[in-house]
Amino acid sequence: MIDHDNLEEFSDGENYDRENGGLHPSYAFYTELAVATGGPVLDLACGTGLLTIPIARQGLATTGLDLSPSMLAYARRKAAAEGLKVVWLHGDVRSFQLEQRFRFISMTGNAFQAMLTVADQEALLARVAKHLEPGGCFAFETRNPTGHDLSTCLDEEPWQQYVDTRGNLVTMTTTQRYDPERQVLHWTVIRRWEEQGEPKLRASRIACRFTGPDELNATIARSGLTLAAQYGWWDRAPLTPASPTIISVLRKAP
Ligand SMILES: C[S@@+](CC[C@H](N)C(=O)[O-])C[C@H]1O[C@@H](n2cnc3c(N)ncnc32)[C@H](O)[C@@H]1O
């Protein structure tokens, strides 16, 4: 389905934070749930720890797991600089196997959409179910297909700018191609900057699966976990067709 590893966007942890490091409302939402369980916490697809680190700051025993060595390396450096004892693990959310069990598992940054098939989603949920303590909680979000533009647009659309670690102003544009059969949106992200007057360009690819609430809830039901709550935004607004996101809170039977 894709001829790349789907990690091209995650090859440079420090610059990832330059692009995405703002305070997102999801962090407060997940941190509150984590604190309510008392931990231990497992943050799946933790990236550079943008959520993992705020959870660890609450004094909870915290583990972050991700597939990108660069993202993990920067997460490790940031946590060490704060003296936080986070366990950082390299692993795939579809196949990880740990001895420890967790009271709370999170997965944010729409990382659920890196599960490009229903089989991948099922594998993830099976790993989560296995690693939750009885009564434990798993929370994640995925972009709502009806709240998003799932068209094909091969003309570059402006996206955002940021200043990278070398002080270059980077301008980002995107193109997108939607595969309706597989429900997968293939983005190409193009970054342009100048070095000593020379134009530079880097293109990276990322594919994300879009799953609507009905299909998602059927997959959740098969996992053996129970859907405890579902929201359309971080303020716990109800999920509607216009909601930009589907936030799901799942529980394992006590
Ligand atoms: C958009 S980032 C989100 C990172 C972090 N959760 C955040 O909110 O900033 C997606 C992350 O998912 C990770 N990832 C993608 N597929 C994965 C997989 N199969 N197993 C583990 N991590 C994966 C990537 O390496 C990347 O760090």
Side-chain angles (χ1 to χ4, degrees):
M1 179 196 307
I2 54 173
D3 58 0
H4 54 91
D5 65 4
N6 221 15
L7 295 176
E8 291 176 357
E9 272 293 291
F10 311 116
S11 62
D12 182 343
E14 201 166 345
N15 277 311
Y16 175 89
D17 272 19
R18 295 287 177 121
E19 292 175 35
N20 303 285
L23 197 60
H24 195 270
S26 59
Y27 306 147
F29 176 90
Y30 289 117
T31 302
E32 198 179 300
L33 287 177
V35 168
T37 68
V41 175
L42 173 62
D43 186 28
L44 292 177
C46 63
T48 60
L50 290 177
L51 169 64
T52 334
I53 288 173
I55 290 176
R57 283 189 195 125
Q58 300 300 312
L60 304 178
T62 307
T63 299
L65 180 141
D66 200 279
L67 203 45
S68 158
S70 173
M71 299 288 268
L72 281 172
Y74 190 49
R76 217 175 253 121
R77 267 171 55 199
K78 289 193 298 180
E82 283 192 43
L84 292 169
K85 284 201 178 65
V86 179
V87 178
W88 301 105
L89 299 175
H90 182 253
D92 190 316
V93 298
R94 298 165 295 186
S95 57
F96 68 98
Q97 178 105 39
L98 309 176
E99 293 305 316
Q100 194 179 357
R101 298 294 175 261
F102 299 87
R103 297 281 309 152
F104 182 68
I105 301 181
S106 50
M107 186 158 166
T108 193
N110 296 303
F112 183 80
Q113 293 188 252
M115 307 297 100
L116 296 183
T117 62
V118 174
D120 281 352
Q121 295 175 350
E122 288 174 343
L124 159 73
L125 291 173
R127 290 293 84 204
V128 166
K130 179 93 181 163
H131 288 82
L132 276 177
E133 282 185 10
C137 174
F138 172 51
F140 69 99
E141 87 282 357
T142 182
R143 296 181 190 89
N144 187 9
T146 55
H148 276 85
D149 168 22
L150 297 182
S151 60
T152 289
C153 176
L154 301 179
D155 293 328
E156 287 181 44
E157 294 282 335
W159 187 11
Q160 63 181 51
Q161 291 187 316
Y162 68 99
V163 176
D164 73 10
T165 48
R166 289 175 302 171
N168 299 313
L169 177 66
V170 182
T171 300
M172 297 167 76
T173 61
T174 58
T175 65
Q176 62 181 54
R177 180 175 60 78
Y178 187 57
D179 175 347
E181 197 181 320
R182 296 187 171 90
Q183 300 167 217
V184 171
L185 193 64
H186 300 266
W187 272 299
T188 300
V189 183
I190 300 143
R191 292 172 175 79
R192 288 189 175 82
W193 69 96
E194 281 193 1
E195 277 176 32
Q196 284 131 24
E198 283 286 307
K200 301 282 179 185
L201 180 152
R202 182 167 80 87
S204 57
R205 298 159 293 176
I206 182 165
C208 288
R209 188 175 196 274
F210 280 76
T211 308
D214 292 347
E215 186 191 14
L216 180 65
N217 293 348
T219 304
I220 290 170
R222 287 195 304 279
S223 74
L225 298 168
T226 303
L227 183 64
Q230 208 154 44
Y231 308 107
W233 193 241
W234 305 104
D235 58 3
R236 294 182 165 73
L239 177 64
T240 72
S243 299
T245 189
I246 308 168
I247 302 159
S248 302
V249 181
L250 279 50
R251 292 226 177 260
K252 181 167 171 171

